[in-house]
Amino acid sequence: MAFQSSPSQPSVPSQPVPVSLSSGDLHFPESNKLRERTPSPMRGFLIPSPLPTRRTRTTSATARAAEGPIFKGVCKCFSRSKGHGFIVPADGGAEIFVHISDIEGEYVPMEGDEVSYKVCSIPPKNEKKQAVEVVITHLVPGTKHETWSGQIVSP
């Protein structure tokens, strides 16, 4: 809104004037070319995972985990398509995260499989724990297990 002021009159806002336009009154620039999108600098790149995998774990974290004790537990769940799962420790503590890259051996873990593992802390705050060097010690009897190559085996 525009204000008009004069020395003899106080400032009074001018009232907006309603305008009616028809579609014939509007003129758009003539262009048959579609607007090209500028490519994102991140297009084609995967977002890095916040969780350390075997490849991204630091050498010092790997050395600390290797020196640590071996724990035992039971696989609560594991999703091959998601690439992670959880282990319930035998001592009854909180569930421990396990990444697909930290599983040793030829079988994909299933619910109820007994495992042994070592523990590594998860950055940035190092408050949570992650299972590393996970080995299936006992397969659940009576269930079919899958190998990493995709074969179904009943032990």
Side-chain angles (χ1 to χ4, degrees):
M1 291 188 197
F3 290 96
Q4 297 177 354
S5 63
S6 66
S8 61
Q9 292 182 329
S11 298
V12 177
S14 62
Q15 296 295 322
V17 179
V19 177
S20 63
L21 295 174
S22 65
S23 60
D25 294 337
L26 299 176
H27 297 286
F28 294 104
E30 296 294 325
S31 175
N32 294 336
K33 185 175 126 180
L34 293 174
R35 184 177 147 230
E36 296 290 326
R37 292 186 66 184
T38 57
S40 168
M42 293 305 293
R43 185 171 291 168
F45 294 100
L46 295 176
I47 298 173
S49 172
L51 297 171
T53 64
R54 178 180 284 179
R55 287 191 310 162
T56 61
R57 192 173 299 121
T58 62
T59 306
S60 59
T62 303
R64 281 192 303 271
E67 293 171 358
I70 297 176
F71 297 95
K72 293 191 178 291
V74 176
C75 180
K76 177 184 177 188
C77 61
F78 186 81
S79 172
R80 184 175 181 172
S81 61
K82 292 181 182 177
H84 69 271
F86 292 92
I87 295 173
V88 176
D91 64 5
E95 296 175 354
I96 298 176
F97 175 83
V98 60
H99 189 266
I100 194 169
S101 67
D102 291 310
I103 299 171
E104 309 285 339
E106 62 179 305
Y107 293 108
V108 177
M110 292 186 65
E111 182 179 347
D113 287 345
E114 293 177 16
V115 296
S116 64
Y117 58 94
K118 294 184 179 183
V119 174
C120 182
S121 58
I122 300 175
K125 295 183 180 179
N126 296 328
E127 294 173 348
K128 296 183 180 180
K129 302 291 182 189
Q130 175 177 349
V132 296
E133 298 181 25
V134 179
V135 178
I136 299 174
T137 56
H138 184 71
L139 299 174
V140 175
T143 60
K144 295 182 179 179
H145 280 75
E146 183 180 5
T147 63
W148 293 111
S149 62
Q151 297 176 339
I152 304 294
V153 179
S154 48

